[in-house]
Amino acid sequence: MFCEQCEQTASGQGCHQWGACGKSPEVNAVQDLLIYYLRGLAPVALRASELGISTHEVDAFTTEAIFATMTNVNFDRERFTDYLHRALAHREWLKAQIQQATGLSQNWSALSSAEPDFNDSLAAQGQDLAFQFNSQSGTNIDIFSLKLTVLYGIKGVASYAFHAQEMGQEDSRVYQFIYEALAALERQDLNLEDWVHLALKVGEINLRTMELLDAGHTSNYGHPVPTPVPLNAKAGKAILVSGHDIPQIEAVLKQTVDQGITVYTHGELLPAHGYPRLKQTYPHLYGHYGTAWQNQTRDFAKFPGAIVITTNCLMPPHENYQGKLFSVGPVGYPGLNYIPAGADGIPDFTPVIRKALELPGFTEDEAPRQVTTGFARNAVLGVAEQVIAAVKAGQIRHFFLVGGCDGAKPDRNYYTELVEKVPNDCVVLTLACGKFRFFDKDLGNIGGIPRLLDLGQCNDAYSAIQIAIALAKAFEVDVNQLPLSMILSWYEQKAVAVLLTLLYLGIQDIRLGPTLPAFISPNVFKLLSDKYHLQSITTPDADLAACLA
């Protein structure tokens, strides 16, 4: 196998034998095969759109199928075989619609006409057709690096589009661009500048996609408000919901009303507690259990109830808790309890409820502990005048946005140490699971403004951007002139999409870690460094000194 799409690749050079995420070479190859046939579906979908043929069902399928190939989402080879069958069925259906509309036989490319041999090894076919650099083909390594950047960024965009679509928030331009980007991977006529432009276009489209997702969350659940969240368990039967999917935790809450079950969040679902309509409607949404996704083998083993994982990031489950773990949506693992969506698009969580009632639950109340979440843009901008006054008075010297994806590498302790060393006259904004390196630390406040503000999930980078734009407008300066430093951690492809969004917006001096993406060639990184001053993290002391200079 060869995979370098995440940060935690073997020695930073890509995984060649077995995925650091736990993905087998066979699953990796079948994922590559699916991407190959989705690239063949893309030109057909684009042609259908030109003719006014509805591609809505294909759009929804494509985003889910791409999402399933992201890091730590789906490890189940059988599920990918099903995705392959569906991709081909959608492609051939669109072809038939196109021919009917035009009355002409279309001249499709070899890629858009190819079919896998389902009687032969799909893994072997995937290895042959994987999107890899071939030094013998004359391909420019820097262009190939940017092609990978576009592909991985599109995986992030597709995941956000999938979440937004669940809540009825869609924009045909997003789907159109996903197809355009997939189709462009075949093109040989684009130069380095063209590919840089396309990568930044991924960032632009991702900004729109995050806006759609934000609209879905806030229109359905209200704007987040600062909310204390218990970290201590209380006695009783329990269900733990992990991942990112707010509509799925709402479905769990709705189906557990009056069941005597307490619902806890895990990982990136901590911000769910900040949505007022969820808290007001479902008082049995109680607290948060555990920390970041990579600790789930420890957290899930100890949790005495049923567990639902709604999105990435899934760790290969251990036998001691696999029987109480359930997945939905694009998430999968061989032998794992999978709950498909019903005719209304909502899973029936009856098996989860039954398992929770069978298990002992928590036998006693734990000592109270809590954190506060819900500092999204409305909450922060609601006290903007107070913040601006504190900056002008010298009470707040600097803002640090410290967040992104977490992972298991020891060098990610950098982010903990950095936040601990941030001076007392500075405020830390955070989002995504990277915050679990320091989310429960008490940094105090400045004039009533908490020094640690949890903005939400990774997609809530949209909130962070809106906060920065609003503050820049208030101070009558460019965003890059604000006393604001972005120090980000990355792990998977959603982070790639968010980084491209920040670069599209022209944000300068971003520090990225714990390592640079293996798929970024030295020349491409130099280009980004020269234009945007994108740089790698060094040490907490050195980076703090540079940011505050």
Side-chain angles (χ1 to χ4, degrees):
M1 73 178 286
F2 179 78
C3 181
E4 58 181 2
Q5 70 177 6
C6 83
E7 191 273 336
Q8 204 156 284
T9 54
S11 303
Q13 299 298 315
C15 297
H16 294 265
Q17 295 181 335
W18 196 274
C21 64
K23 179 172 58 175
S24 72
E26 292 76 19
V27 168
N28 181 75
V30 180
Q31 288 182 355
D32 286 341
L33 190 64
L34 175 59
I35 291 296
Y36 177 81
Y37 284 102
L38 290 174
R39 286 161 50 203
L41 169 63
V44 182
L46 288 171
R47 179 62 178 143
S49 294
E50 288 175 4
L51 296 170
I53 298 168
S54 173
T55 61
H56 186 262
E57 186 177 345
V58 184
D59 300 339
F61 163 78
T62 300
T63 56
E64 179 183 343
I66 295 174
F67 190 2
T69 70
M70 277 182 46
T71 304
N72 290 89
V73 176
N74 198 316
F75 301 79
D76 191 341
R77 186 164 38 171
E78 290 186 9
R79 292 276 300 281
F80 285 105
T81 302
D82 177 62
Y83 280 129
L84 277 166
H85 280 293
R86 291 165 63 192
L88 293 171
H90 282 303
R91 188 190 72 185
E92 296 309 305
W93 181 82
L94 285 178
K95 283 183 180 180
Q97 297 300 305
I98 291 168
Q99 185 162 350
Q100 183 178 342
T102 62
L104 300 172
S105 179
Q106 305 292 307
N107 185 24
W108 298 110
S109 69
L111 178 60
S112 295
S113 303
E115 294 202 13
D117 184 350
F118 287 99
N119 295 315
D120 201 356
S121 169
L122 293 176
Q125 294 171 66
Q127 289 172 347
D128 291 339
L129 297 172
F131 191 67
Q132 294 185 16
F133 178 68
N134 182 356
S135 60
Q136 307 302 315
S137 67
T139 304
N140 181 294
I141 186 64
D142 299 320
I143 288 179
F144 185 73
S145 171
L146 286 165
K147 284 186 174 185
L148 288 178
T149 304
V150 167
L151 174 59
Y152 299 153
I154 283 298
K155 289 191 177 190
V157 173
S159 69
Y160 289 143
F162 172 84
H163 291 314
Q165 186 270 337
E166 283 186 306
M167 293 176 286
Q169 296 290 329
E170 299 178 87
D171 185 335
S172 60
R173 292 174 298 172
V174 173
Y175 300 128
Q176 185 85 0
F177 180 74
I178 289 174
Y179 295 133
E180 289 173 0
L182 289 174
L185 296 175
E186 287 302 294
R187 296 180 61 176
Q188 303 299 321
D189 60 329
L190 301 181
N191 60 28
L192 189 70
E193 185 177 341
D194 294 328
W195 281 103
V196 170
H197 175 76
L198 193 58
L200 295 177
K201 185 70 175 178
V202 174
E204 179 185 357
I205 293 297
N206 186 59
L207 180 63
R208 172 58 179 152
T209 311
M210 290 193 298
E211 180 183 26
L212 290 169
L213 183 51
D214 178 87
H217 285 153
T218 55
S219 62
N220 281 283
Y221 310 114
H223 282 275
V225 295
T227 305
V229 183
L231 297 179
N232 55 290
K234 66 177 183 179
K237 304 292 185 177
I239 290 176
L240 183 65
V241 188
S242 185
H244 302 70
D245 203 312
I246 305 294
Q248 297 291 11
I249 194 171
E250 181 192 26
V252 171
L253 289 165
K254 187 175 293 186
Q255 294 177 38
T256 51
V257 169
D258 297 328
Q259 295 274 1
I261 296 173
T262 300
V263 176
Y264 297 79
T265 55
H266 177 269
E268 284 249 49
L269 277 175
L270 169 61
H273 294 272
Y275 288 104
R277 290 178 199 157
L278 278 183
K279 293 293 286 185
Q280 292 163 8
T281 308
Y282 306 106
H284 59 300
L285 173 60
Y286 165 69
H288 187 79
Y289 183 90
T291 54
W293 67 270
Q294 76 275 3
N295 298 325
Q296 66 187 243
T297 51
R298 180 193 66 201
D299 293 340
F300 289 0
K302 294 191 299 183
F303 189 77
I307 305 164
V308 178
I309 185 154
T310 65
T311 61
N312 60 316
C313 299
L314 171 68
M315 292 284 286
H318 289 185
E319 290 182 2
N320 61 344
Y321 65 80
Q322 185 166 339
K324 64 182 181 183
L325 180 61
F326 300 79
S327 73
V328 296
V331 185
Y333 194 87
L336 192 62
N337 303 304
Y338 178 67
I339 304 178
D344 58 358
I346 300 172
D348 179 358
F349 288 105
T350 299
V352 179
I353 295 169
R354 187 182 303 121
K355 177 60 69 173
L357 294 174
E358 289 174 2
L359 292 168
F362 291 99
T363 57
E364 59 184 10
D365 294 342
E366 295 178 347
R369 295 181 301 128
Q370 69 178 32
V371 294
T372 301
T373 191
F375 292 101
R377 69 180 188 282
N378 262 31
V380 174
L381 296 179
V383 293
E385 290 185 6
Q386 187 179 344
V387 171
I388 292 165
V391 173
K392 289 181 176 178
Q395 295 174 298
I396 296 178
R397 177 169 38 146
H398 205 82
F399 297 90
F400 289 89
L401 176 60
V402 186
C405 308
D406 202 2
K409 285 184 177 179
D411 49 3
R412 288 179 179 268
N413 289 331
Y414 162 96
Y415 296 94
T416 310
E417 185 180 345
L418 179 92
V419 169
E420 290 175 340
K421 290 183 173 181
V422 166
N424 290 335
D425 57 356
C426 300
V427 172
V428 176
L429 310 173
T430 190
L431 73 168
C433 61
K435 65 172 164 274
F436 288 111
R437 292 281 165 174
F438 48 81
F439 82 121
D440 56 353
K441 295 189 178 298
D442 183 4
L443 300 186
N445 65 81
I446 299 175
I449 301 167
R451 289 190 55 237
L452 180 61
L453 300 174
D454 178 6
L455 304 183
Q457 300 179 326
C458 57
N459 55 279
D460 289 316
Y462 180 77
S463 257
I465 290 167
Q466 297 309 309
I467 290 169
I469 290 172
L471 289 177
K473 189 177 295 185
F475 283 112
E476 299 182 342
V477 298
D478 182 82
V479 169
N480 290 311
Q481 296 174 298
L482 286 171
L484 168 67
S485 297
M486 296 190 181
I487 304 178
L488 308 179
S489 56
W490 80 283
Y491 180 82
E492 39 84 344
Q493 298 76 64
K494 287 179 178 177
V496 176
V498 171
L499 176 63
L500 291 174
T501 294
L502 295 174
L503 297 181
Y504 158 72
L505 292 169
I507 305 297
Q508 301 274 331
D509 297 308
I510 298 169
R511 285 171 166 78
L512 185 66
T515 61
L516 296 175
F519 55 85
I520 295 288
S521 69
N523 284 339
V524 170
F525 183 73
K526 184 177 185 305
L527 184 154
L528 296 176
S529 180
D530 289 345
K531 185 171 183 178
Y532 299 102
H533 303 134
L534 179 67
Q535 54 199 291
S536 178
I537 61 172
T538 58
T539 67
D541 289 323
D543 289 344
L544 282 171
C547 292
L548 293 169

